[in-house]
């Protein structure tokens, strides 16, 4: 069973400036919860009990969100706001959550390397702190069950429009069973005509601990950062690496348009607002069409 997860959340979020100047993108609200709480909930629903968050300068509000706030709890208790009290308490009880600072922002591979001592020599999950997944089953749970069956690293893949593959890490491989690929090529941000497929990394991974050795051996790549994709290419030379194409939707909150879409899509799922929101969207659609 995979019990430990790492959530990198130290990045600058430059695509979402100016709001990310003083506020982590991982703390932006989707309806009424910060993005990173959705990520933690997916991990917990997938069996994770121990989470290490990689944070950095300007990211203290993430720590505060997952820590207890006794004053607020007292206030809610005195005012008999039981529902809100439970909501607030639930956050701290989700999992054992720890924090470590990434000293310099040297990329995703570098961020994950900070988890080496915490994780030790056991398989572990990685969930990007700025990515919400909407799927029937928690996506990480699917990955965990593939890991149990095949015993090697497995990553989530999303099928995207071939015209936009150059924004992502892309794989090439053989489909060995429905929606499961044995990966044999990994390229970070390829040109559209050089991409081996339109299957891209979707921000959820389960790694064998050897990934740490591979990160250590990975030189800086694109943008002079230690790229996780480059470390995975090394891993794939000695270990098997699988890719699971999931059916669902990935929302990258670091991207302004995705952020707006996420609020609408998840808002439509919320019983307390879906009626009004749907009506608003229908009226708006009439107005703009
Ligand atoms: P992104 O590449 O989307 O993050 O990383 P970024 O660098 O903050 O974004 P832009 O391009 O400047 O807008 C995906 C996840 O990995 C974390 C980010 O915080 C995000 O949750 N990350 C990225 C780190 O923890 N450290 C890094 O050095 C880079």
């Amino acid at each position: 069973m995979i019990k430990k997860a790492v959530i990198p959340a130290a990045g600058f979020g430059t695509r979402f400036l100016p709001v990310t100047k003083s506020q982590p993108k991982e703390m932006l609200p989707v309806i009424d919860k910060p993005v990173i709480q959705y990520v933690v909930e997916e991990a917990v629903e997938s069996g994770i009990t121990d989470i290490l968050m990689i944070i950095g300068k300007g990211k203290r509000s993430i720590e505060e969100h997952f820590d207890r706030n006794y004053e607020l709890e007292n206030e809610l208790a005195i005012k008999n706001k039981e529902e809100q009290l439970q909501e607030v308490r639930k956050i701290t009880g989700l999992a054992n959550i720890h924090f470590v600072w990434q000293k310099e922002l040297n990329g995703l591979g570098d961020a994950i390397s900070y988890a080496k001592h915490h994780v030790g020599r056991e398989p572990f999950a990685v969930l990007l702190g700025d990515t919400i997944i909407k799927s029937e089953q928690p996506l990480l749970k699917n990955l965990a069950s593939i890991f149990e069956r095949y015993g090697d690293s497995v990553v989530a893949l999303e099928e995207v429009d071939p015209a936009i593959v150059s924004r992502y890490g892309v794989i090439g491989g053989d489909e060995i069973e429905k929606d499961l690929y044995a990966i044999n090529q990994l390229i970070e941000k390829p040109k559209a005509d050089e991409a081996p497929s339109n299957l891209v990394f979707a921000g959820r991974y389960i790694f064998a601990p050897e990934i740490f050795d591979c990160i250590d051996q990975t030189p800086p790549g694109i943008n002079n950062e230690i790229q996780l994709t480059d470390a995975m290419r090394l891993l794939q030379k000695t270990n098997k690496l699988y890719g699971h194409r999931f059916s669902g939707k990935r929302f990258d909150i670091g991207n302004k348009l995705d952020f707006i879409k996420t609020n609408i899509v998840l808002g439509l799922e919320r019983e307390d607002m879906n009626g009004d929101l749907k009506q608003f969207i229908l009226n708006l659609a009439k107005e703009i069409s």
Side-chain angles (χ1 to χ4, degrees), residues 38-48 127 132-146 156 204 206 244 246-248:
Y38 290 88
V39 178
V40 168
E41 285 170 356
E42 180 192 332
V44 171
E45 283 164 26
S46 306
I48 297 294
L127 303 96
I132 293 181
I133 302 285
K134 181 176 165 337
S135 55
E136 258 174 41
Q137 268 226 90
L139 176 53
L140 190 71
K141 198 171 183 177
N142 290 351
L143 297 187
S145 81
I146 294 169
R204 301 291 185 263
I206 290 181
H244 163 57
F246 80 102
S247 45

Side-chain angles (χ1 to χ4, degrees), residues 152-221:
D152 255 309
S153 304
V154 54
V155 305
L157 300 173
E158 186 189 25
E159 200 161 6
V160 299
D161 180 344
I164 60 164
V165 282
S166 60
R167 296 182 200 164
Y168 302 100
V170 182
I171 68 113
D174 302 316
E175 192 167 10
I176 54 171
E177 64 175 74
K178 190 174 178 303
D179 295 331
L180 187 66
Y181 291 79
I183 297 177
N184 52 36
Q185 279 186 77
L186 302 100
I187 310 180
E188 187 60 33
K189 302 188 174 57
K191 290 191 184 126
D193 56 352
E194 287 169 9
S197 75
N198 61 340
L199 292 171
V200 307
F201 300 124
R204 301 291 185 263
Y205 315 76
I206 290 181
F207 287 122
E210 287 81 5
I211 191 71
F212 291 121
D213 311 323
C214 298
I215 294 172
D216 284 348
Q217 292 163 36
T218 300

Side-chain angles (χ1 to χ4, degrees), residues 8-15 25-26 54 59 102 105-108 111 128-130:
F12 278 129
T14 53
R15 286 169 298 149
K25 61 179 164 179
E26 295 82 3
I54 315 295
K59 302 277 184 168
Q102 185 181 10
L105 296 187
N106 288 330
L108 186 54
L128 297 191
D130 64 351

